[in-house]
């Protein structure tokens, strides 16, 4: 999932030397994934674009100093930066706005309501559940939400999540388990406890 | 297996990362323990709901974002600056005047060219990965010096194109280095010097143009490119 094609090492080597075209190439190849990560996490496009920009600025300015060897993928490293930027971004926004989570949820609905398609009845039900999912995600702590985003929206494996979040696999599993247990209370799942 | 080991194994189970024996034990426990089996059901159900309600991320203005990123970064450090460890002794022998005068003035200009002069159109063009493609792109630039007085399309003096060729050359060099292709490395060094000289050519003096042609001839660049293409005619890329 986090691998790129065989030319990655070349781009990274060139970008490390300061080559702007190589940076552009790396940006083109990874921007959608980073944007989608930021969007799922932040819940709206404007914040996601900020996070996208912060992430690449941070990545390219520290690329020269960073110790990327052949065993550590550029994409994993970039994801890690994007995760940290996302967490920072929300933390900063929280200090500005008191009801960040409520706002997160309403902004996400506003963004998602724009896309059309589907039958009215099915769409209504799907919309209802989507609202519940959004409310549930909004109530999670930022790290737990990030784990869910990486796992469910970015399809990362436990080991990859641990690598990009900078923690152990055991810690990822515990957070994911708690996040799902918390989500279960918000969602129409099973027969309850 | 005990129920409390469950959280440790369930995600690996979902990822298909359990060894055969572990997997068998996990499934055996599931069949024997209604509580754990119900929990797996719930987790799968939440997974399903999250998947079902995922909507595509909206579009983003990636070009505007790139412009902000590029503006925030330090100016492009020119990677195609000549490397001193391969000092071009031959250049002084072959074209002493040219190398000394043009390179001297030119490198200074190259190093100190202001930020933001990078041609964005050239930055958008794809890199060429094979030496064969690269030589094809290089050929029009070189031919401009072969039939004096030059009657080409001005390819040689398109600074964006030259910059592109110089950047692309670094990519080929990395790959040649990795493949330990010494003859290609030597050829790329020659090409780099010629390109650098072209990039800083004072065109007001037609004599300079002739000197570049002499340089290309003396280094045998056109011939070496042909040999390389012939030698590697079966392999598509380097
Ligand atoms: Zn059990």
């Amino acid at each position: 999932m986090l691998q790129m094609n065989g030319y990655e090492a070349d781009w990274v080597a060139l970008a490390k030397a300061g080559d702007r075209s190589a940076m552009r190439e790396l940006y083109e190849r990874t921007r959608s994934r980073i944007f989608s990560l930021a969007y799922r996490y932040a819940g709206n496009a404007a914040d996601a674009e900020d996070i996208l920009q912060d992430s690449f600025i941070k990545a390219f300015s520290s690329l020269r100093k960073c110790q990327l060897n052949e065993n550590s993928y550029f994409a994993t490293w970039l994801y890690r930066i994007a995760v940290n930027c996302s967490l920072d971004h929300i933390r900063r926004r929280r200090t500005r706005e008191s009801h960040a989570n409520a706002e997160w949820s309403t902004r996400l609905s506003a963004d998602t309501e724009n896309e059309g398609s589907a039958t009215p009845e099915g769409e209504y039900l799907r919309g209802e559940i989507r609202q519940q999912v959004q409310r549930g995600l909004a109530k999670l702590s930022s790290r737990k939400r990030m784990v869910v985003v990486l796992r469910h929206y970015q399809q990362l494996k436990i080991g990859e999540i641990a690598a990009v979040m900078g923690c152990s696999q055991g810690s990822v599993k515990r957070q994911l388990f708690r996040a799902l247990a918390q989500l279960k209370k918000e969602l129409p799942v099973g027969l309850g406890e | 297996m005990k129920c409390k080991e469950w959280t440790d194994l369930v995600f690996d189970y979902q990822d298909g990362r359990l060894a055969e024996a572990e997997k068998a034990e996990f499934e055996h426990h599931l069949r024997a323990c209604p509580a754990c089996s119900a929990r797996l059901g719930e987790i799968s159900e939440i997974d399903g709901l999250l998947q079902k309600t995922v909507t595509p991320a909206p579009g983003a203005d990636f070009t505007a974002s790139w412009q902000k990123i590029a503006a925030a970064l330090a100016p492009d450090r020119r990677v195609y600056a000549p490397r001193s460890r391969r000092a071009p002794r031959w250049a002084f022998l072959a074209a002493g005047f040219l190398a000394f005068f043009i390179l001297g003035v030119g490198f200074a200009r190259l190093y100190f060219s202001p930020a933001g002069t990078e041609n964005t159109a050239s930055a958008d063009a794809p890199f060429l990965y094979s030496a064969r493609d690269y030589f094809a792109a290089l050929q029009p630039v070189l031919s401009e010096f072969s039939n004096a007085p030059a009657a080409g399309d001005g390819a040689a003096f398109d600074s964006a194109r030259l910059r592109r060729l110089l950047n692309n050359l670094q990519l080929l060099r990395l790959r040649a280095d990795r493949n330990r292709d010494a003859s290609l490395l030597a050829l790329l060094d020659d090409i780099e010097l010629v390109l650098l000289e072209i990039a800083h050519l004072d065109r007001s003096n037609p004599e300079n143009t002739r000197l570049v042609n002499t340089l290309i001839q003396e280094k045998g660049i056109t011939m070496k490119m042909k040999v390389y293409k012939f030698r590697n005619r079966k392999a598509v890329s380097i």
Side-chain angles (χ1 to χ4, degrees):
Chain A
M1 167 65 206
L2 285 176
Q3 296 172 14
M4 295 173 78
N5 67 30
Y7 297 123
E8 181 191 345
D10 296 332
W11 299 121
V12 174
L14 278 177
K16 253 181 129 134
D19 183 83
R20 191 58 59 83
S21 333
M23 291 181 192
R24 176 76 190 251
E25 191 73 31
L26 287 169
Y27 170 76
E28 300 292 338
R29 282 155 191 254
T30 48
R31 60 185 200 183
S32 304
R33 276 192 278 164
I34 298 300
F35 178 76
S36 131
L37 165 76
Y39 174 75
R40 300 290 171 217
Y41 180 77
N44 70 83
D47 281 337
E49 282 194 38
D50 282 351
I51 293 170
L52 173 85
Q53 290 160 18
D54 285 356
S55 304
F56 279 99
I57 290 168
K58 226 170 250 174
F60 289 143
S61 3
S62 56
L63 189 57
R64 199 156 69 112
K65 287 167 275 162
C66 104
Q67 305 281 317
L68 268 184
N69 58 38
E70 303 209 343
N71 299 320
S72 62
Y73 290 107
F74 172 77
T76 308
W77 178 75
L78 182 63
Y79 250 66
R80 190 166 178 165
I81 291 175
V83 163
N84 287 330
C85 282
S86 305
L87 295 171
D88 275 356
H89 193 84
I90 302 305
R91 210 173 295 140
R92 256 180 291 147
R93 209 181 69 194
R94 264 208 192 121
T95 57
R96 285 202 311 267
E97 301 163 25
S98 45
H99 303 293
N101 275 338
E103 190 224 23
W104 184 86
S105 153
T106 48
R107 281 220 247 171
L108 183 60
S109 333
D111 269 345
T112 50
E113 242 135 61
N114 298 334
E115 76 327 295
S117 87
T119 62
E121 308 85 38
E123 193 47 40
Y124 175 75
L125 209 64
R126 225 164 70 97
E128 280 290 288
I129 297 171
R130 193 187 299 152
Q131 293 284 330
Q132 286 173 301
V133 168
Q134 282 156 12
R135 269 197 299 277
L137 284 174
K139 285 183 187 167
L140 297 178
S141 74
S142 53
R143 284 186 78 83
K144 281 200 204 108
R145 193 199 300 161
M146 182 55 88
V147 172
V148 172
V149 165
L150 291 172
R151 171 110 182 140
H152 293 277
Y153 298 134
Q154 304 287 307
Q155 268 82 44
L156 298 198
K157 304 240 182 266
I158 297 292
E160 292 175 317
I161 299 173
V164 300
M165 293 200 62
C167 59
S168 70
Q169 297 202 15
S171 158
V172 171
K173 287 173 185 170
R174 279 190 298 277
Q175 297 204 57
L176 184 57
F177 191 72
R178 284 191 213 127
L180 294 180
Q182 214 177 316
L183 277 177
K184 193 180 74 173
K185 294 181 193 147
E186 307 288 331
L187 300 175
V189 173
L191 303 166
E193 296 286 339
Chain B
M1 198 189 93
K2 296 181 187 113
C3 292
K4 65 176 181 179
E5 289 169 54
W6 196 85
T7 48
D8 205 42
L9 294 176
V10 63
F11 301 117
D12 290 331
Y13 176 72
Q14 285 185 322
D15 282 353
R17 291 177 63 94
L18 291 185
E20 275 309 311
E22 285 179 304
K23 189 175 163 227
E25 203 189 340
F26 185 85
E27 286 173 346
H28 176 78
H29 181 82
L30 277 184
R31 280 192 295 272
C33 176
C36 282
S37 145
R39 279 195 286 179
L40 178 64
E42 284 173 356
I43 286 187
S44 310
E45 220 179 317
I46 296 172
D47 290 352
L49 281 180
L50 288 171
Q51 286 313 308
K52 214 161 47 181
T53 55
V54 63
T55 53
D61 190 346
F62 287 118
T63 309
S65 277
W66 170 254
Q67 279 157 3
K68 284 186 191 155
I69 293 163
L73 294 173
D76 192 357
R77 275 170 287 122
R78 308 299 181 190
V79 294
Y80 46 76
R83 294 160 308 152
S84 50
R85 71 184 168 88
R86 290 181 202 232
R89 191 155 38 117
W90 61 267
F92 294 97
L93 301 172
F97 166 76
L98 187 77
F100 197 76
F101 182 73
I102 299 182
L103 285 183
V105 174
F107 284 172
R109 242 195 302 161
L110 191 68
Y111 272 122
F112 299 115
S113 55
T117 53
E118 181 189 62
N119 184 313
T120 46
S122 77
D124 288 339
F127 270 80
L128 303 169
Y129 289 105
S130 81
R132 183 177 279 273
D133 292 345
Y134 183 78
F135 294 158
L138 182 66
Q139 197 53 62
V141 174
L142 299 185
S143 348
E144 210 140 320
F145 294 92
S146 57
N147 327 302
D153 62 353
F157 305 108
D158 176 344
S159 65
R161 190 195 296 220
L162 285 171
R163 185 163 297 166
R164 190 78 205 156
L165 285 168
L166 281 160
N167 273 333
N168 201 146
L169 189 132
Q170 305 307 321
L171 182 74
L172 294 182
R173 184 180 269 145
L174 283 167
R175 298 176 69 76
D177 213 26
R178 202 178 309 145
N179 298 339
R180 304 193 193 294
D181 187 341
S183 67
L184 179 58
L185 275 173
L187 176 54
L188 290 173
D189 279 356
D190 291 346
I191 291 172
E192 183 183 46
L193 276 150
V194 168
L195 286 175
L196 282 167
E197 297 188 9
I198 294 171
H200 305 107
L201 195 63
D202 175 8
R203 277 193 288 157
S204 61
N205 185 352
E207 183 66 7
N208 290 342
T209 313
R210 208 182 54 75
L211 278 169
V212 170
N213 185 36
T214 310
L215 198 57
I216 295 170
Q217 298 302 320
E218 287 188 8
K219 294 309 293 177
I221 288 177
T222 313
M223 182 269 293
K224 283 181 187 163
M225 292 196 310
K226 274 189 194 136
V227 170
Y228 184 89
K229 276 193 269 188
F230 180 76
R231 200 156 43 82
N232 295 277
R233 62 195 183 282
K234 275 181 187 152
V236 175
S237 67
I238 57 170

